[in-house]
Amino acid sequence: MTDAQAPRKRLLIRTWGCQMNVYDSARMADVLAPLGYAPTEAVEEADMVILNTCHIREKATEKVFSDLGRLREAKRERGGDMVIAVAGCVAQAEGAEITARAPWVDIVLGPQSYHRLPEMVARASRAAGAVIETEFPAEDKFDHLPETTTPQGATAFLTVQEGCDKFCSFCVVPYTRGSEYSRPVAAIVAEAERLVALGAREVTLLGQNVNAWHGEGPDGRAWTLGRLVRRLAEVRGLARIRYTTSHPRDMDDDLIAAHGDTPALMPFLHLPVQSGSDRVLKTMNRGHTAADYLRLVERLRGARPDLALSTDIIAGHPGETAADHEATLALIRAVGFAQAFSFKYSARPGTPAATMAGQVDEATKDARLAEVQALLRDQQAAFNRSRAGMVAEVLVTGAGRHPGQMAGRTPWLNPVHFDGPADLAGRIVPVRILAGHPNSLTGALAAPRHDQPRERPAA
């Protein structure tokens, strides 16, 4: 029997959380491909199921156990012939509880250990209990990962930095992802070139604190993220570069300048502020004030006037007063965000905020979050409406929801829908924006015009 005729095993990966988890899931699939695992979306035909988890959201652990309960029945129906793995940040933080409450789980692995999956699968086939890998290994996992061979869509993720040394009061990342680590320039450029060869036109650089990246360059010295962006802009076929998630404390002069001097760096930045109250920001251990953030926004917009900003807001952090909440609303009004992610505070075991005095009651958190979200929705809708009338370069990502419709993204990350042929997928085309809606744009293909600057509002 030839390799092409050999029976294939089926792999189902369910992913929650951030873009880095999406990247990690793709790399886990790459790692398992040499073992004969091909992807599936059907639980009943899966030989292995991986739950790649996130610990940021409220009740994340219980959602994992709910899914594990359903997988127990699926495994039983297959006569036990299914490998179940829990990966990611919940696995890192709750490994012992997972094996105690769900003994049918075969593998528990943290986000730093997925390069060891083939070995863990082999060990699980011999072990009487679960195989657990939640230590931070001495070796760099990226040195042990195979090259990406999966065809890409128009957009791709590329992890350049992991971990966090900031220790914000509410955040589990330093405990689940470890300390800050930056991949070297050569490895990042090589992966970007492979992604482009596989079809990507846009690459988003990922990191828990991506602008803290300081990887080793070819000269043996640490580079800045701005310098890395400029180097990636030289990769043939790579039209667009983005990065997320940033920390205000790590936004240096060189990176700000890159927003103005590197056309491939898109005019969209996710820059979490979390609160507009200096007192709360200090309690959060953010290391910046509201005024610091506003000055940074002013400098960024000075470098790139059409820059759109996104942020994160937490409502009801321990100790937050009504005046602190009003300060947050005032900062949101002062900045004007194009997009945002907002949540009410929820305690994470092991974090300083979980045991702080002054825990805010749920009803107050709900009310404050509702006010924050209403303001942010209004700002997003206003930003989308402001796109109407302009011709924007749209990266076409695939078919839309309706026959004959295509979908794509503007430089400001707005979803946009327009009528067009299917062969536009993967191309960057001029689209006249006809209308802005609360969450997306509608447009029509526009013939290129040399007498009108693109990606600026029409006069």
Side-chain angles (χ1 to χ4, degrees):
M1 181 179 289
T2 67
D3 289 341
Q5 296 170 324
R8 302 282 279 172
K9 300 176 183 178
R10 295 295 175 180
L11 171 66
L12 171 61
I13 304 180
R14 289 179 176 165
T15 308
W16 291 274
C18 64
Q19 293 100 327
M20 189 170 289
N21 268 17
V22 176
Y23 174 89
D24 286 351
S25 291
R27 299 319 311 272
M28 283 190 275
D30 290 338
V31 166
L32 292 169
L35 300 186
Y37 284 98
T40 182
E41 296 296 326
V43 173
E44 61 273 10
E45 67 180 32
D47 299 286
M48 182 173 184
V49 177
I50 301 175
L51 304 183
N52 193 11
T53 62
C54 174
H55 208 273
I56 299 299
R57 303 292 178 259
E58 189 176 9
K59 299 180 181 177
T61 303
E62 291 310 312
K63 291 178 182 177
V64 172
F65 282 109
S66 177
D67 225 22
L68 286 175
R70 290 187 288 269
L71 288 175
R72 181 186 191 181
E73 297 305 313
K75 184 172 184 175
R76 181 179 296 160
E77 289 174 5
R78 288 176 59 96
D81 186 22
M82 175 189 285
V83 177
I84 298 176
V86 181
C89 292
V90 171
Q92 185 75 38
E94 310 282 350
E97 184 178 0
I98 290 169
T99 56
R101 289 178 57 181
W104 56 93
V105 170
D106 302 287
I107 298 171
V108 178
L109 68 152
Q112 305 303 329
S113 302
Y114 63 74
H115 61 295
R116 296 182 177 180
L117 259 174
E119 173 194 345
M120 285 184 260
V121 171
R123 286 165 55 195
S125 68
R126 303 188 301 265
V131 175
I132 303 175
E133 289 274 1
T134 54
E135 300 298 321
F136 292 105
E139 75 271 16
D140 172 17
K141 71 183 180 186
F142 294 102
D143 290 340
H144 297 269
L145 292 172
E147 293 186 0
T148 299
T149 58
T150 305
Q152 301 294 307
T155 64
F157 295 127
L158 198 171
T159 292
V160 301
Q161 183 272 342
E162 281 199 294
C164 182
D165 297 340
K166 301 298 188 290
F167 289 92
C168 295
S169 63
F170 52 83
C171 185
V172 298
V173 167
Y175 312 102
T176 59
R177 290 274 183 174
S179 59
E180 291 177 356
Y181 165 77
S182 299
R183 295 179 67 189
V185 173
I188 294 168
V189 172
E191 186 168 345
E193 290 173 341
R194 288 194 296 272
L195 291 170
V196 170
L198 291 166
R201 301 295 310 281
E202 175 183 288
V203 167
T204 300
L205 309 180
L206 300 180
Q208 266 81 35
N209 282 324
V210 68
N211 55 342
W213 178 89
H214 53 276
E216 181 182 359
D219 55 2
R221 299 181 180 182
W223 282 25
T224 64
L225 185 63
R227 189 174 180 186
L228 175 65
V229 165
R230 294 183 185 94
R231 172 64 185 89
L232 291 173
E234 298 172 0
V235 172
R236 186 176 179 84
L238 180 57
R240 294 183 168 189
I241 301 167
R242 303 183 189 273
Y243 63 91
T244 195
T245 290
S246 303
H247 195 294
R249 287 164 55 185
D250 294 316
M251 188 63 65
D252 60 25
D253 293 345
D254 189 50
L255 185 54
I256 293 172
H259 278 277
D261 63 29
T262 311
L265 181 57
M266 291 293 95
F268 180 90
L269 174 61
H270 184 65
L271 189 64
V273 66
Q274 307 298 356
S275 174
S277 162
D278 288 347
R279 195 180 67 81
V280 173
L281 289 169
K282 185 175 181 179
T283 303
M284 288 178 167
N285 194 36
R286 290 290 291 171
H288 64 83
T289 65
D292 293 335
Y293 187 88
L294 292 172
R295 281 192 294 269
L296 183 56
V297 168
E298 184 178 10
R299 292 182 62 205
L300 284 159
R301 286 175 169 162
R304 184 73 192 252
D306 65 337
L307 183 72
L309 285 164
S310 173
T311 198
D312 292 345
I313 299 288
I314 294 175
H317 186 272
E320 183 187 76
T321 65
D324 296 326
H325 170 62
E326 289 300 325
T328 296
L329 295 175
L331 182 140
I332 293 171
R333 294 187 188 100
V335 175
F337 292 104
Q339 294 183 24
F341 300 93
S342 53
F343 317 95
K344 66 179 181 180
Y345 169 77
S346 59
R348 289 290 166 268
T351 59
T355 55
M356 280 183 181
Q359 298 287 326
V360 179
D361 65 87
E362 291 299 314
T364 300
K365 286 192 289 187
D366 287 340
R368 291 177 183 173
L369 179 62
E371 282 193 77
V372 165
Q373 290 182 336
L375 178 55
L376 291 170
R377 279 195 303 270
D378 287 346
Q379 290 189 344
Q380 178 173 314
F383 180 82
N384 288 353
R385 288 194 301 270
S386 76
R387 305 299 93 181
M390 68 172 60
V391 174
E393 298 290 338
V394 171
L395 175 58
V396 185
T397 53
R401 291 190 296 266
H402 306 296
Q405 187 184 70
M406 300 300 289
R409 296 276 180 174
T410 70
W412 307 280
L413 210 59
N414 310 94
V416 56
H417 300 91
F418 60 95
D419 290 340
D423 62 4
L424 292 180
R427 293 172 56 187
I428 297 174
V429 299
V431 174
R432 181 172 297 279
I433 306 304
L434 302 177
H437 310 290
N439 299 305
S440 64
L441 312 176
T442 55
L445 277 173
R449 287 180 54 185
H450 301 293
D451 61 340
Q452 178 177 321
R454 297 191 189 137
E455 300 174 357
R456 295 288 193 276

